[in-house]
Amino acid sequence: MARLPDKPRFAAAPSARVYDAIILGPTLGGAFAAALLARRGLRVLWAEHGAPAVAYAHQGFHWPTTALPFPSPRALPPFEDALTELGLTTQVFRLLRPVVPALQLVLPRHRLDLPLDDARRLAECRREFGRDGTHVADVVKQLGAAHAATDGFLRSPEALPAAGLWARWRLRRALKAWPALTSPSGLKDTEPAEHLLARATSFLIYQEGPGPLAMQRSLSQLLAGPQRFPGGWAGLYEMVRHRFEELGGTLLPAEGASGAAVQSLTFEGGRPVGLDVRGSEATHRAAFVLCVLDEGALLPLLPEEVRAKASLLQPAPAAQAVLAVHWVLPSSALPQGLGELVLADDVQGVGALLVQVGPARRQDARTDEAGARLVTATAIVPPDVEAALVQGHVARLEDALGRLLPFARGHLLARSVPQLDAPRRVPGVLLHPLWPRAPKAAWEGQGLSPLTAWTALLRAGREVCPGLGLEGELLAALGAAARVQRAAQGKAKPLGR
């Protein structure tokens, strides 16, 4: 039976509800961390607080909040390992469907598919680029397998996130044994197709100016074979959420009858001890709180007297942002030959444009809408949150999408912009920020430390490993969960001690 760590210790009031850990936030990483801790026998409260969740309803349709493409779980070690431990591998792989073709490139003078089959990809590249196509096909093949060279590192004890001087020293020492982590991708800026592929990396991570690591992992994972899952990220999130409840975890939904369920973090003696929940006189207490929210969403939950001292939690301003626009169109309105994942360059001056085409789903429906397709376009824009400025970026993005899909705009069934239309529990938070690189990080994938000023409060969100995108989200959340488990089992002291 799970027990709380010897320290920190507090006296629980008779009405208090006590847990080993509280997970705060509605992210996929948080869902996996909560489910895995419950699977390992710990008492877990998962509070789905934050803005916004992975999907939302608008104009009668169900829309994804995130526009990240869905990679194969086999290409992400933490993803595959978590599915295996939760007993979801067979169920997930049975539902996955490959994106066909894997990727389509649209350039001012070229248009080509990049299928997974080596022979077909080589033939397509030669058709479009002649002799130079052989080099393009070889680079894509090598890059699509590059992530495998560093998978072992991410399964090692030295993997991110590093917390404390000793951990950072061990990480830097371990990096010397994995030169592939910093190896150049082989993509040439002088070749249009290769330059466009390099630009695609910004859509996959949360860090400005992707370097070798992002290309060797995030871009490689995409080229290894993007997938489609029923309901998208929201479908997977609901599956893990259901598994968490099956395992005996306690779920606190984001919204109650009178608004947000979580009112604030509870502090006693200058340290966090749990959550105050609307409508409940009991404090929900835990030895650790794992926060998967961005810093900007966490700050409003701190008491006023603490917030003034929380200078270390002030969110770093984003350098850029990824903006998404959703259209629902009749299938007949899409151009023939349009792929399910399209990367276009310099359409209407917006720079690189990533377009995903998939099933559309009506609000509250359990199956996809027949004859309708959801088209999601994303572009890199300034990090504006004011509605008027975002609307200007949206107009330019939709002009570019209309240029790529001639005559489709006149057949729109519905449209939505997550940055404007998703429920906003915390105003002024970007949905997909690109933060500047941390100047003193142990390696280019790392951002903020998982440690905060308080031993019991751990960062476990995307700001910890922004240079690895989805994989970084999972590493941060699962790494924090592993530390809590070790402390709860008496095998390690709480972080910060």
Side-chain angles (χ1 to χ4, degrees):
M1 185 170 182
R3 62 182 180 84
L4 290 173
D6 295 333
K7 296 180 181 180
R9 185 185 299 275
F10 47 76
S15 61
R17 300 177 182 179
V18 181
Y19 304 90
D20 292 292
I22 293 174
I23 312 298
L24 181 59
T27 69
L28 188 63
F32 273 113
L36 287 171
L37 286 175
R39 170 71 176 79
R40 296 165 186 171
L42 276 68
R43 294 164 291 176
V44 183
L45 171 67
W46 176 18
E48 287 185 313
H49 177 87
V54 291
Y56 65 100
H58 181 237
Q59 291 191 349
F61 281 88
H62 198 62
W63 309 93
T65 302
T66 178
L68 285 172
F70 206 108
S72 170
R74 297 197 189 284
L76 281 78
F79 192 3
E80 185 178 23
D81 293 348
L83 289 176
T84 300
E85 185 172 346
L86 292 174
L88 295 175
T89 303
T90 301
Q91 189 176 355
V92 167
F93 276 88
R94 186 179 296 153
L95 294 171
L96 285 172
R97 296 291 181 270
V99 171
V100 180
L103 183 63
Q104 186 176 81
L105 301 185
V106 177
L107 296 153
R109 297 183 181 180
H110 303 280
R111 178 172 178 165
L112 72 155
D113 296 341
L114 295 177
L116 293 181
D117 181 76
D118 292 342
R120 291 177 55 203
R121 182 173 57 242
L122 177 59
E124 179 75 357
C125 291
R126 284 177 173 173
R127 176 193 63 77
E128 195 64 32
F129 297 111
R131 293 181 179 179
D132 294 338
T134 302
H135 173 73
V136 174
D138 288 343
V139 168
V140 172
K141 179 181 178 180
Q142 294 170 11
L143 192 53
H147 62 89
T150 52
D151 282 352
F153 170 73
L154 293 183
R155 286 191 165 108
S156 69
E158 292 80 13
L160 288 180
L165 292 175
W166 173 247
R168 287 196 293 272
W169 179 82
R170 285 200 311 158
L171 175 60
R172 290 191 178 96
R173 182 179 179 184
L175 289 174
K176 296 178 181 179
W178 296 88
L181 290 168
T182 54
S183 299
S185 65
L187 296 173
K188 297 179 180 178
D189 285 340
T190 55
E191 297 294 335
E194 298 176 49
H195 177 65
L196 178 58
L197 284 172
R199 297 176 71 182
T201 313
S202 293
F203 296 105
L204 310 175
I205 62 175
Y206 299 105
Q207 198 173 64
E208 184 191 30
L213 173 66
M215 295 186 190
Q216 293 286 357
R217 293 214 55 86
S218 299
L219 182 57
S220 174
Q221 290 155 356
L222 179 71
L223 294 176
Q227 305 285 306
R228 192 164 303 289
F229 190 81
W233 289 114
L236 180 63
Y237 178 89
E238 287 301 320
M239 180 182 290
V240 179
R241 187 179 190 260
H242 179 67
R243 184 68 175 131
F244 169 72
E245 293 182 290
E246 286 181 335
L247 292 167
T250 302
L251 182 69
L252 184 63
E255 298 291 341
S258 57
V262 176
Q263 288 185 295
S264 65
L265 281 173
T266 305
F267 278 69
E268 292 180 2
R271 61 181 179 84
V273 296
L275 301 178
D276 278 337
V277 177
R278 189 182 303 276
S280 174
E281 296 182 0
T283 294
H284 292 66
R285 295 169 173 260
F288 294 95
V289 176
L290 276 63
C291 180
V292 297
L293 301 171
D294 293 344
E295 305 286 65
L298 173 61
L299 279 171
L301 295 178
L302 300 179
E304 287 289 346
E305 64 275 12
V306 174
R307 196 182 311 170
K309 302 176 183 178
S311 58
L312 295 178
L313 289 180
Q314 293 296 333
Q320 292 178 303
V322 177
L323 179 67
V325 171
H326 300 308
W327 286 1
V328 172
L329 295 164
S331 301
S332 57
L334 298 177
Q336 291 187 355
L338 182 71
E340 294 183 346
L341 184 62
V342 182
L343 183 60
D345 198 15
D346 292 331
V347 182
Q348 294 291 97
V350 300
L353 186 70
L354 184 66
V355 179
Q356 300 174 69
V357 181
R361 184 168 293 191
R362 291 278 181 182
Q363 183 177 346
D364 299 326
R366 300 185 65 86
T367 58
D368 299 331
E369 180 80 359
R373 303 293 281 172
L374 171 65
V375 179
T376 300
T378 50
I380 309 297
V381 300
D384 297 316
V385 294
E386 297 84 356
L389 294 175
V390 175
Q391 287 283 13
H393 302 320
V394 169
R396 289 187 288 274
L397 178 52
E398 291 192 303
D399 286 344
L401 183 58
R403 179 70 177 271
L404 191 65
L405 310 178
F407 313 112
R409 202 166 185 172
H411 299 277
L412 269 179
L413 301 177
R415 66 179 288 275
S416 191
V417 180
Q419 186 68 33
L420 300 175
D421 301 322
R424 304 313 302 266
R425 303 184 188 101
V426 181
V429 174
L430 291 167
L431 297 184
H432 191 144
L434 299 178
W435 290 294
R437 296 190 189 185
K440 297 182 180 180
W443 70 335
E444 75 172 68
Q446 190 169 351
L448 297 179
S449 168
L451 296 174
T452 67
W454 304 281
T455 299
L457 179 62
L458 306 179
R459 291 187 187 92
R462 57 188 181 179
E463 287 177 301
V464 175
C465 305
L468 285 174
L470 171 65
E471 188 170 42
E473 282 190 71
L474 295 172
L475 281 172
L478 302 185
R483 291 184 174 100
V484 169
Q485 181 193 2
R486 290 196 298 269
Q489 293 174 344
K491 297 180 180 179
K493 295 181 180 180
L495 280 181
R497 291 202 155 271

